[in-house]
Amino acid sequence: MRAYFKRMLRFPVPTSGLILALLCVAVQAKEVSVSSPDGKLTVIVSDERGAPSYRVRYAGKEIMPAARLGLVLRTGPELGEGFLISGSAMAERDETWQQPWGERRLVRDHHRELLVDLVRGGAMPRKFSLRLRVFNDGLGFRYEVPRQAGLSSGQQIEILDERSEFRIADSDTTRAWWIPARNWSSYEQLYRTTRLREAAHVETPFTLRLASGVHLALHEAALTNYASMTLNQRRDGVFKADLTPWSDGVKVKLAAPFNTPWRTVQVSPDAAGLLNSDLILNLNEPNKLGDVSWVKPGKYVGIWWAMHLWQQTWASGAKHGATTAEVKRYMDFAAKYGFSGVLAEGWNVGWDGEWPDNGELFRFAQPYPDFDMAAIAAYGRSKGVKLIGHHETSGAVSHYASQMGAAYDYARASNIDIIKTGYVADNERIKRIDDQREVRYEWHDGQFMAGEYLRSVTEAAKRKIAIDTHEPIKDTGLRRTYPNWLSREGARGQEYNAWGFPPNPPEHTAILPYTRMLSGPFDYTPGIFNLEPNGKGHENRVRSTLAKELSLYVVLYSPIQMAADLIEHYEARRDAFQFIVDVPTDWEQSRALAGEVGEFVVMARQQRGAQDWYLGALTNERARELTLKLDFLDPQRHYQAQIYRDGAGASWDKAPYDMVIEKRPVSFGEVLSLHLAAGGGAAIRFKALD
Ligand code: NOJ
Ligand code: CA
């Protein structure tokens, strides 16, 4: 008994909780568990000492030891202190649902569910539930708090902290890939590759490789009316949920009943397996928008890269990029090569001066005088190409909200059905005007912004407009519920190669698939052909070979993909450009074939509605030879492989344009050898011949 008391002192509990905890010791902790359909993954929930915890076993080994659960509310007892399991219920689901667009058309949701009811008696009784879903590829749990005495309807509840912990068993030998949380530049950072213990405070998806080779990714799903979860390493191997606060310090404000987002752990025996997981989508609610046939994946070019290279300006004046004539020139190009969209940034009033500081000057229904919206809409109609709208807010979010309805109406009337939004502002410098007309500065990923990003998506949906958010909150799979949320940024994209210091190193795109991409589509804007756009020898260049730029169209999934370079560079390399012309952005199925985090990746995808397959392979700064078995192809068909690969002398720094384009017949089961240069890659179209 003394030993128990000693242990309990490390987890102080309120007096009533203590009594329950003592009772609990006396009657033995209750445990309930649930396993994945294949039986390999098991989660066990315990109420030992009245402090609910969970632990995870995988392939016969405990991979996540007991970790705390709970929510701290401003009033009343902590949900998770002095609570006992009062009941539990099991369920199983095995159904296949269809995505309107995506990496695969059909998604199987096969899981076992355990609902655990937790109660606390005494002077201030409380109850809540923990819902757990365990799939073959990982698990999710969330808190469900019903209305009850003390948490009545209409009463605002303030969550001051979330106790959820994620505990890693062999923390000494675990590798981690991560970006620091709550950085001024949000998610636009280079990834760190470290031992687990060096990951102090991280964003999710947070990717780990255990000594056994098992890979885990910690993240969340269905983040709507809640704060984003970052992870704080409190003790070696113990990561505690750290919710991004409002400007007044409160983490979340809501009313009962409420459910939190799902806390997720993807589990795979190897790195590539993480990329084949549908866990995040499966934990989101089905489509709430009804018929979304108006949401169209596609490819686009745009008046964009020239501004990042300072060759044109967003602002009005002699170098203004978004002129009527320039948009028409881009529309001609788009029509010629079968692209659906043309982005034009800097079309609207508000860019003159220091635009990142002047968000309130933006007008979203007022073009500059040299941008004739009516003429452009008419020209686009005649060419079968649509303008992609652009709304940069510079983080002046209340200002944007006040114009949003009119701005989206204007876009709709101008034949625009995709808008790229932007929230350029240092993190924690999102400008909110509160009810008293006072200015408050918020984080990009707090509860306020979770709501504002969603407001943009739902308001746009009312006008049949899709959204591509730059400087977004991280993706948590909401595209399933709101399929007009087509894509987003939320990582260091191509733009950093124009002006960022340092530009993206070759390993960046070998880490992204296993980290950022686990959350959802990324508008990286690949396809730069002029790899030294600032001139020879300039620090800022694209640290890729030409073949690797092509591979990104398959590796970095997005239903809208930009051909980001100036169009004259595509005309100059028609041979290489053919791959971008051919590659689709919507897939029947996708399969990661091989890879290691930060080293390399091989991704194969079958075109939706067609028999062609595409393959993208890329490497970090190390050259490597790959041997690929073509066992994804249909055994009944013949294919022509159209291969765009690094030449024998290629490397990102010395010979990035050394590329071989070759065509040859291939079929199911054949073995293909591929040489990837340092910072290189390969892109292949498997054209079905019958
Ligand atoms: C940052 C975005 O990521 C980029 O694509 C855009 O051109 C600028 N903001 C201006 O809005
Ligand atoms: Ca950006």
Side-chain angles (χ1 to χ4, degrees), residues 381-403:
R381 277 201 178 92
S382 76
K383 293 264 161 186
V385 173
K386 288 190 174 166
L387 185 69
I388 295 182
H390 184 236
H391 293 174
E392 175 56 62
T393 67
S394 294
V397 162
S398 298
H399 170 71
Y400 186 46
S402 72
Q403 291 192 33

Side-chain angles (χ1 to χ4, degrees), residues 147 151-157 254-256:
R147 251 182 231 135
L151 300 173
S152 53
S153 73
Q155 177 198 344
Q156 182 173 283
I157 298 171
L254 33 62

Side-chain angles (χ1 to χ4, degrees), residues 110-425:
H110 190 192
H111 69 259
R112 295 211 177 115
E113 178 178 284
L114 176 66
L115 184 66
V116 186
D117 296 324
L118 293 142
V119 294
R120 170 197 158 106
M124 270 199 278
R126 288 285 185 276
K127 58 183 176 191
F128 72 97
S129 303
L130 187 72
R131 192 180 294 273
L132 275 148
R133 287 190 183 156
V134 185
F135 304 72
N136 293 345
D137 57 347
L139 64 105
F141 65 84
R142 73 177 182 196
Y143 303 94
E144 300 186 353
V145 180
R147 251 182 231 135
Q148 56 197 285
L151 300 173
S152 53
S153 73
Q155 177 198 344
Q156 182 173 283
I157 298 171
E158 294 188 348
I159 298 178
L160 301 186
D161 197 10
E162 182 175 322
R163 291 276 186 230
S164 308
E165 288 178 353
F166 302 83
R167 198 165 176 165
I168 306 304
D170 49 0
S171 75
D172 270 349
T173 47
T174 297
R175 297 296 282 170
W177 290 268
W178 53 280
I179 52 173
R182 256 166 254 150
N183 188 264
W184 68 270
S185 63
S186 269
Y187 312 107
E188 295 185 3
Q189 301 183 63
L190 292 177
Y191 280 82
R192 273 63 159 179
T193 304
T194 69
R195 290 190 304 170
L196 185 68
R197 74 153 54 99
E198 285 153 53
H201 184 193
V202 302
E203 294 288 357
T204 72
F206 175 46
T207 301
L208 312 173
R209 186 183 65 220
L210 310 182
S212 60
V214 169
H215 286 65
L216 308 181
L218 312 183
H219 189 43
E220 59 182 309
L223 165 57
T224 52
N225 186 25
Y226 206 80
S228 171
M229 179 182 74
T230 64
L231 297 173
N232 213 321
Q233 189 164 194
R234 300 292 277 263
R235 276 176 282 129
D236 269 2
V238 182
F239 288 82
K240 183 188 163 300
D242 186 332
L243 304 179
T244 298
W246 285 77
S247 47
D248 63 8
V250 175
K251 304 284 172 59
V252 180
K253 306 172 189 187
L254 33 62
F258 69 87
N259 300 333
T260 66
W262 294 93
R263 278 66 189 90
T264 60
V265 184
Q266 279 158 288
V267 185
S268 166
D270 53 24
L274 283 181
L275 279 53
N276 293 322
S277 161
D278 294 317
L279 182 86
I280 303 297
L281 283 174
N282 274 330
L283 288 171
N284 272 272
E285 299 291 319
N287 172 13
K288 283 191 177 160
L289 299 182
D291 173 21
V292 286
S293 53
W294 48 271
V295 179
K296 297 251 189 298
K299 283 175 290 196
Y300 69 105
V301 284
I303 300 169
W304 181 76
W305 189 233
M307 272 91 86
H308 287 269
L309 297 172
W310 302 102
Q311 294 172 8
Q312 291 180 331
T313 58
W314 285 278
S316 61
K319 287 167 72 178
H320 187 212
T323 64
T324 308
E326 187 69 342
V327 176
K328 286 183 175 174
R329 192 169 77 90
Y330 269 74
M331 283 184 160
D332 289 343
F333 179 89
K336 181 172 166 193
Y337 293 110
F339 286 45
S340 50
V342 171
L343 170 72
E345 294 197 358
W347 67 276
N348 62 320
V349 167
W351 291 90
D352 300 327
E354 294 298 315
W355 61 264
D357 304 325
N358 291 333
E360 262 117 8
L361 299 182
F362 282 121
R363 299 287 171 268
F364 301 103
Q366 192 183 341
Y368 277 126
D370 55 355
F371 185 96
D372 185 339
M373 182 63 100
I376 286 168
Y379 196 74
R381 277 201 178 92
S382 76
K383 293 264 161 186
V385 173
K386 288 190 174 166
L387 185 69
I388 295 182
H390 184 236
H391 293 174
E392 175 56 62
T393 67
S394 294
V397 162
S398 298
H399 170 71
Y400 186 46
S402 72
Q403 291 192 33
M404 194 177 274
Y408 292 175
D409 286 344
Y410 175 78
R412 180 70 276 167
S414 308
N415 200 32
I416 289 171
D417 55 17
I418 300 176
I419 296 175
K420 170 178 171 179
T421 58
Y423 297 79
V424 170

Side-chain angles (χ1 to χ4, degrees), residues 93 95-101 105 107 109 222 224 280-295 454 457-458 461-462 464-465 477-486 608:
R93 182 192 292 175
E95 65 182 36
T96 297
W97 56 278
Q98 186 159 333
Q99 297 203 80
W101 48 266
R105 189 166 58 83
V107 180
D109 174 355
T224 52
I280 303 297
L281 283 174
N282 274 330
L283 288 171
N284 272 272
E285 299 291 319
N287 172 13
K288 283 191 177 160
L289 299 182
D291 173 21
V292 286
S293 53
W294 48 271
V295 179
L454 204 50
V457 168
T458 51
K462 289 179 194 160
K464 297 199 160 86
I465 291 173
L478 289 174
R479 65 185 152 129
R480 177 173 180 191
T481 316
Y482 305 98
N484 70 320
W485 204 341
L486 262 184
R608 189 174 293 202

Side-chain angles (χ1 to χ4, degrees), residues 188 470-471 489 495:
E188 295 185 3
H470 276 234
E471 296 78 37
E489 196 184 34
E495 59 182 351

